[in-house]
Amino acid sequence: MVKDIVFQVQNALKENVDEKTKASSQKFFKEEIKNYGVKTATVTQISKTYYKRIESKSKSEIFELCEELWRSGYIEETFVACHWSYLLRKQYEPSDFLIFEKWIHHYVDNWASCDTLCNHTVGSFIERYPEHLEDLKVFTASENRWMRRAAAVTLIVPARKGKFLKEILELANLLLMDQDDLVQKGYGWMLKAASEVHQQEIFDFVMSKKNVMPRTALRYAIEKMPKEMKALAMVKDK
């Protein structure tokens, strides 16, 4: 049964290949990605269609299907997996964190899959079980760049709601000097999201770190701030 549904999803994706999308997709990524070349809106529609066929199944059965999709490595299949796991958010239990961590560690290999999984599935989990914020801090020490980016982008949606400011600043501090530009962009984005509610606190943090903070992260962090704040943040102290 697992193989049947996965096979049907894969066939639906193959039937909806758009050559223009396939040709242009790679330009958004530095790393090589596996993709069919299906438009995002079409992937979403396929995901919804096939979820109706499995929604009566248990959470563990659906997670098994998600894992099978992740295993394929095709970016569109990872998007379907992310959509399905997010639809189960009201059923999340603390032990599910280990499953999500496994997906990030073993299967995520590009920023789009990382962000889709973490913004929605993992972010919703953390809002429900904030004690797992400590695990995100552990992610920051991983050799896996996607684990480190995940630590930050998981908190994008909660940050926009004004949640977890203390932990956001702690994570930004832990990731502050990371040499990977995708990690820098990740925690800069997290700070930017937090600035929507906590502008002064994020500005104060940036000002205290601006002499050492990578410019990539800094620019992301201050993107939504007023011009005067941006100007002050961009000037390095002598």
Side-chain angles (χ1 to χ4, degrees):
M1 185 60 195
V2 171
K3 297 286 186 186
D4 283 352
I5 288 290
V6 170
F7 186 65
Q8 287 168 31
V9 169
Q10 290 169 335
N11 272 349
L13 290 167
K14 288 171 186 171
E15 287 165 7
N16 283 278
V17 169
D18 177 77
E19 289 305 328
K20 195 174 176 184
T21 301
K22 187 169 178 62
S24 64
S25 292
Q26 183 59 55
K27 72 180 181 187
F28 298 104
F29 303 88
K30 289 182 182 176
E31 59 281 340
E32 194 72 33
I33 59 159
K34 277 174 76 176
N35 73 310
Y36 293 107
V38 182
K39 290 179 179 175
T40 304
T42 308
V43 176
T44 302
Q45 196 51 56
I46 289 168
S47 173
K48 288 176 179 175
T49 299
Y50 285 92
Y51 189 75
K52 287 173 185 168
R53 302 184 189 182
I54 61 165
E55 61 186 338
S56 61
K57 295 188 174 297
S58 69
K59 181 181 69 176
S60 61
E61 287 176 304
I62 296 174
F63 277 173
E64 193 183 333
L65 290 167
C66 291
E67 180 135 358
E68 197 65 31
L69 290 165
W70 273 109
R71 208 174 275 132
S72 80
Y74 278 90
I75 199 165
E76 293 93 342
E77 291 187 47
T78 73
F79 292 162
V80 174
C82 291
H83 183 223
W84 288 359
S85 60
Y86 179 62
L87 289 173
L88 293 167
R89 61 193 178 279
K90 290 181 181 173
Q91 298 179 45
Y92 291 165
E93 301 164 87
S95 58
D96 293 333
F97 188 81
L98 293 173
I99 295 170
F100 305 148
E101 182 179 15
K102 178 187 176 186
W103 292 350
I104 299 164
H105 186 73
H106 289 290
Y107 304 125
V108 167
D109 61 4
N110 64 80
W111 62 262
S113 296
C114 181
D115 297 359
T116 306
L117 175 64
C118 295
N119 286 177
H120 306 291
T121 295
V122 191
S124 296
F125 175 90
I126 292 291
E127 285 196 63
R128 190 162 182 163
Y129 301 108
E131 61 270 25
H132 282 275
L133 284 159
E134 290 302 312
D135 291 293
L136 298 185
K137 294 175 191 173
V138 176
F139 283 15
T140 66
S142 174
E143 290 184 10
N144 182 334
R145 72 194 304 199
W146 306 117
M147 294 285 282
R148 303 199 308 278
R149 182 175 171 99
V153 300
T154 288
L155 295 186
I156 298 298
V157 176
R160 287 179 182 146
K161 299 174 184 175
K163 294 184 176 181
F164 309 138
L165 178 64
K166 175 176 165 285
E167 289 80 9
I168 284 165
L169 295 177
E170 287 171 358
L171 285 167
N173 228 356
L174 289 166
L175 294 169
L176 191 70
M177 303 302 289
D178 200 293
Q179 295 302 299
D180 192 305
D181 71 319
L182 285 171
V183 178
Q184 293 170 14
K185 288 173 182 176
Y187 87 76
W189 182 21
M190 174 183 68
L191 291 171
K192 174 172 68 174
S195 78
E196 292 180 31
V197 176
H198 297 290
Q199 185 181 85
Q200 190 61 49
E201 292 91 337
I202 299 302
F203 179 69
D204 291 345
F205 175 83
V206 170
M207 288 299 286
S208 72
K209 307 291 182 185
K210 66 176 183 173
N211 287 334
V212 293
M213 193 177 192
R215 302 306 261 181
T216 299
L218 191 148
R219 285 192 188 94
Y220 266 73
I222 64 175
E223 198 175 313
K224 294 201 169 186
M225 293 185 185
K227 283 181 183 177
E228 317 81 70
M229 283 182 161
K230 285 183 182 178
L232 287 168
M234 289 300 290
V235 177
K236 279 195 176 183
D237 297 331
K238 291 179 181 177

